[in-house]
Amino acid sequence: MGVGSFGRGGGLALLWSRDIKVKRTSYDRLHFDIVILDPESDEEMWRFTGFYGDSRRELRYRSWDLLKFLSSQGNLPWLCAGNFNEILEASEQFGGNTRSERQMDGFREAVQMCGFQDLGFSGLPYTWDNRQEGIHDIKVRLDRGFANQEFLDLFPEATVWHVQTTESDHCCLLIECNRETS
């Protein structure tokens, strides 16, 4: 499943194994929202949102409004991942102009209102690199995975990897969600 790119930016893709059943609930150029179904009963088990934050800083508030709206669309365990085009902390950027606290505040507020916890990562600390040299080099953690507590209760060992690619200036996110078996 995917949402195509527009111009040179954007685009989302989701890959899953054949034994997983999914139901698409909504999508547009900045997100897709799906529900993972129990393969035997078709009962809704949990939800995944692939997200692309608006690349234009002055329009990013729309992305945060979308996240808040999506959070009101159910109470399933929820995983949300993608390129948010924003950071939560100044330490998530190397080089370039310093982002203002105000710029990050809208993102922080949306994350809090959604009840999200950052899943952390393994791999490179930054997910976007402008691939320039010296003082022009900028690296930022724009891509990440979030989950609500219900998702973390279901998948306490959920893991996010930043996977470097040669084709993109962004890392891919690889998210493993295995249930513990007793």
Side-chain angles (χ1 to χ4, degrees):
M1 174 180 302
V3 175
S5 64
F6 40 98
R8 295 181 62 200
L12 297 164
L14 174 67
L15 307 171
W16 64 90
S17 63
R18 288 188 179 139
D19 58 328
I20 305 292
K21 289 180 75 173
V22 301
K23 174 177 76 173
R24 184 177 64 201
T25 57
S26 69
Y27 72 96
D28 65 18
R29 68 181 191 92
L30 297 177
H31 88 286
F32 59 78
D33 198 40
I34 64 167
V35 173
I36 289 67
L37 304 172
D38 182 287
E40 295 173 12
S41 69
D42 282 347
E43 177 185 348
E44 295 182 345
M45 296 173 34
W46 57 279
R47 169 181 177 203
F48 175 72
T49 302
F51 196 82
Y52 180 77
D54 204 298
S55 58
R56 294 178 53 192
R57 185 179 322 136
E58 68 275 11
L59 298 178
R60 217 162 284 146
Y61 72 93
R62 294 179 181 172
S63 299
W64 314 146
D65 289 347
L66 174 60
L67 274 179
K68 293 174 204 175
F69 171 77
L70 289 169
S71 81
S72 72
Q73 299 303 297
N75 58 359
L76 289 171
W78 188 18
L79 171 65
C80 180
N83 173 3
F84 293 87
N85 269 317
E86 191 53 83
I87 58 176
L88 293 170
E89 302 293 333
S91 63
E92 296 175 338
Q93 178 172 327
F94 170 86
N97 295 330
T98 303
R99 292 171 191 251
S100 70
E101 289 295 316
R102 183 175 177 196
Q103 182 179 337
M104 293 180 280
D105 282 344
F107 186 30
R108 291 175 185 143
E109 178 186 319
V111 167
Q112 182 180 12
M113 285 189 71
C114 291
F116 283 151
Q117 296 178 47
D118 190 319
L119 294 176
F121 62 90
S122 293
L124 298 171
Y126 306 106
T127 60
W128 177 80
D129 186 339
N130 70 352
R131 298 182 178 174
Q132 294 187 17
E133 299 292 325
I135 63 170
H136 302 288
D137 188 25
I138 303 171
K139 301 174 190 312
V140 190
R141 184 181 177 213
L142 298 176
D143 309 82
R144 63 179 73 232
F146 290 113
N148 65 11
Q149 187 58 54
E150 293 78 11
F151 183 87
L152 294 171
D153 291 343
L154 194 60
F155 298 102
E157 300 298 319
T159 307
V160 177
W161 282 278
H162 294 169
V163 180
Q164 193 170 17
T165 67
T166 57
E167 299 299 319
S168 176
D169 54 0
H170 285 264
C171 288
C172 288
L173 297 182
L174 177 62
I175 304 173
E176 187 174 10
C177 305
N178 291 322
R179 283 186 153 166
E180 290 185 335
T181 55
S182 301

